[in-house]
Amino acid sequence: MRIAVAGGTGWVGHLVVDAVRAAGHEPVILARSTGVDLISGSGLDEALSGTPVVIDVSNVSTINRKKSETFFGTATGNLLAAGQRVGVRHHVALSVVGVDRVNWGYYAGKRCQERLVLDGAVPATVLRSTQFFELAAQMLASVPGPIAVVPQMCIQPIAAHEVAHCLVDLALTDPAGRTPDIAGPQQLRISDMARRLLRARGRHRVVLPLRLPGATGRAMAGGGLLPSTPGPRGRQTFDQWLATPAAQRTAGRTQ
């Protein structure tokens, strides 16, 4: 079966494409490099023709509410409209655990995406995932210098490849609306993850956790990003991930 992967050339998208192939199916990558523009809608109808399933892991790097809502609203709207025109039977979207409890600019766009997908005409599934292990590396890379200031966050991080395989498994079943949240096996503080990552790299930096102001900071520090109901749980731990080539590739890319 042909399975379209929106954002298939991105970091998570590559993992989803690999998972589609591992399941014995043919990935159709929706990206500018393959002649498809999610924002303008150019090339979507042609790419989705004869493709009954779409997995959307397209993304934008921003904490600006307006930019996030504009990207996810436009890209999702175009995907759903094209899917309805050509007969897509199942639209699967990846979202984030806690988007309804943490008022963060990026999450506003994900909430917009969820509403469009769940209220749309194409039968759909939405999977919320906790943050990936790579978040610690991204935090460290965003703050150069001897002191790394990271937000106080309590999360239950997961290996991205486990989420990719879960998305493909869901895509091959009937549309289910909001499915149980997927999360990793352990609750961790992002500051602790950053320190352990630095030790694994042989780096010496001071990690300073700082609570973000207002309700957003309280929610991030107080468990607003943790799964609140039972659901699938990843098996790989953060320490196990640190010993893998994936962690080393992340190290080379972000520092």
Side-chain angles (χ1 to χ4, degrees):
M1 182 171 63
R2 285 162 53 91
I3 298 177
V5 182
T9 57
W11 161 55
V12 177
H14 276 298
L15 298 174
V16 175
V17 167
D18 289 345
V20 169
R21 290 196 177 107
H25 300 282
E26 177 189 353
V28 178
I29 298 173
L30 307 181
R32 287 197 180 102
S33 60
T34 62
V36 179
D37 191 324
L38 299 180
I39 300 303
S40 70
S42 174
L44 269 176
D45 284 28
E46 294 81 2
L48 292 180
S49 180
T51 305
V53 177
V54 172
I55 301 175
D56 183 13
V57 290
S58 61
N59 198 25
V60 61
S61 297
T62 184
I63 60 172
N64 181 278
R65 178 184 299 267
K66 184 176 180 180
K67 289 181 180 179
S68 182
E69 289 179 331
T70 297
F71 173 83
F72 286 111
T74 303
T76 303
N78 286 336
L79 273 170
L80 292 171
Q84 185 178 11
R85 286 193 297 269
V86 303
V88 167
R89 300 196 301 268
H90 192 181
H91 182 106
V92 181
L94 176 64
S95 190
V96 184
V97 169
V99 292
D100 52 346
R101 289 174 276 148
V102 178
N103 191 23
W104 190 243
Y106 173 76
Y107 296 160
K110 298 303 287 184
R111 291 194 297 268
C112 174
Q113 179 187 33
E114 287 189 4
R115 288 193 299 270
L116 290 171
V117 169
L118 295 175
D119 294 340
V122 178
T125 298
V126 170
L127 174 67
R128 289 182 179 178
S129 168
T130 53
Q131 286 72 23
F132 301 131
F133 291 145
E134 285 83 356
L135 179 62
Q138 294 163 2
M139 292 282 187
L140 290 172
S142 67
V143 186
I147 300 177
V149 179
V150 300
Q152 289 187 7
M153 295 174 61
C154 183
I155 60 176
Q156 197 164 325
I158 187 169
H161 70 87
E162 292 185 313
V163 176
H165 282 278
C166 185
L167 286 167
V168 174
D169 289 344
L170 289 171
L172 297 174
T173 59
D174 293 333
R178 265 285 313 278
T179 61
D181 298 343
I182 188 170
Q186 303 165 299
Q187 293 183 16
L188 296 169
R189 295 281 176 181
I190 193 68
S191 54
D192 182 47
M193 293 173 64
R195 293 186 185 104
R196 287 153 73 174
L197 181 58
L198 287 168
R199 284 198 299 269
R201 294 179 180 178
R203 304 288 180 89
H204 301 284
R205 297 177 67 187
V206 175
V207 176
L208 180 63
L210 179 68
R211 176 173 289 193
L212 296 177
T216 297
R218 290 194 299 272
M220 284 185 170
L225 297 174
L226 298 175
S228 57
T229 57
R233 298 294 180 258
R235 294 191 294 178
Q236 188 177 47
T237 67
F238 183 62
D239 285 336
Q240 288 170 337
W241 176 81
L242 285 175
T244 66
Q248 296 305 314
R249 288 196 296 271
T250 302
R253 184 173 66 245
T254 59
Q255 283 195 279

